């Protein structure tokens, strides 16, 4: 989402600076000076994607079931993704932060599917 701050940037933006003992400079309560970046300069996080790969083990109906059960996709969307996995060898099934994609990859592994995460091309 354009203009949204990552959690780390929100924390920096909320920090309250306190005057030092002589009242001259500003330092955070911990005693270490920091330079705050303007909100416009905060870099957005690179989106990540979860990729499910074709395998010789799982039935197409099972892969569709996993996409519906875990991602809550409609049956038609799940079938479309499953067919992409089957015909092209892989499909991007979700995108978001690295942490969220790591959770999705782990879940796919728990369901017995082959999955990886990668940086989005966009």
């Amino acid at each position: 989402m354009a203009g949204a701050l990552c959690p780390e940037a929100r924390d920096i933006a909320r920090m309250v600076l306190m005057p030092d003992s002589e009242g001259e400079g500003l330092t955070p309560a911990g005693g270490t000076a920091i330079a705050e970046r303007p909100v416009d300069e905060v870099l957005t996080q690179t989106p990540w994607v979860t990729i499910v790969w074709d395998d010789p083990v799982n039935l197409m109906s099972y892969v569709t079931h996993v996409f519906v059960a875990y991602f809550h996709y409609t049956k038609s969307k799940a079938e479309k993704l499953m067919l992409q996995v089957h015909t092209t060898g892989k499909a991007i099934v979700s995108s978001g932060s690295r942490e969220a994609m790591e959770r999705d990859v782990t879940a796919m592994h728990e369901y017995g599917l082959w999955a990886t995460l990668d940086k989005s091309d966009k």
Side-chain angles (χ1 to χ4, degrees):
M1 166 179 357
L5 296 176
C6 64
E8 295 81 12
R10 280 195 301 267
D11 291 342
I12 290 172
R14 289 186 194 150
M15 285 187 177
V16 177
L17 300 179
M18 301 175 62
D20 64 13
S21 59
E22 297 172 10
E24 293 178 2
L26 292 178
T27 57
T32 303
I34 61 166
E36 290 190 48
R37 284 187 267 166
V39 173
D40 295 340
E41 292 182 20
V42 175
L43 300 175
T44 58
Q45 291 182 332
T46 303
W48 291 77
V49 294
T50 298
I51 302 168
V52 172
W53 299 85
D54 191 26
D55 66 58
V57 178
N58 293 297
L59 298 174
M60 292 187 288
S61 59
Y62 178 70
V63 174
T64 301
H65 163 75
V66 170
F67 294 164
V68 170
Y70 181 77
F71 294 110
H72 305 288
Y73 290 152
T74 62
K75 187 171 182 181
S76 62
K77 181 173 182 170
E79 287 173 342
K80 181 179 176 183
L81 288 169
M82 174 276 300
L83 285 172
Q84 186 179 0
V85 170
H86 182 69
T87 58
T88 66
K90 65 179 180 176
I92 294 173
V93 296
S94 64
S95 65
S97 69
R98 181 178 176 108
E99 293 80 14
M101 296 307 95
E102 288 173 348
R103 281 191 300 273
D104 288 353
V105 167
T106 300
M108 294 300 98
H109 292 171
E110 290 172 355
Y111 278 103
L113 301 183
W114 294 353
T116 58
L117 71 138
D118 198 3
K119 287 184 181 178
S120 174
D121 292 336
K122 296 179 184 177

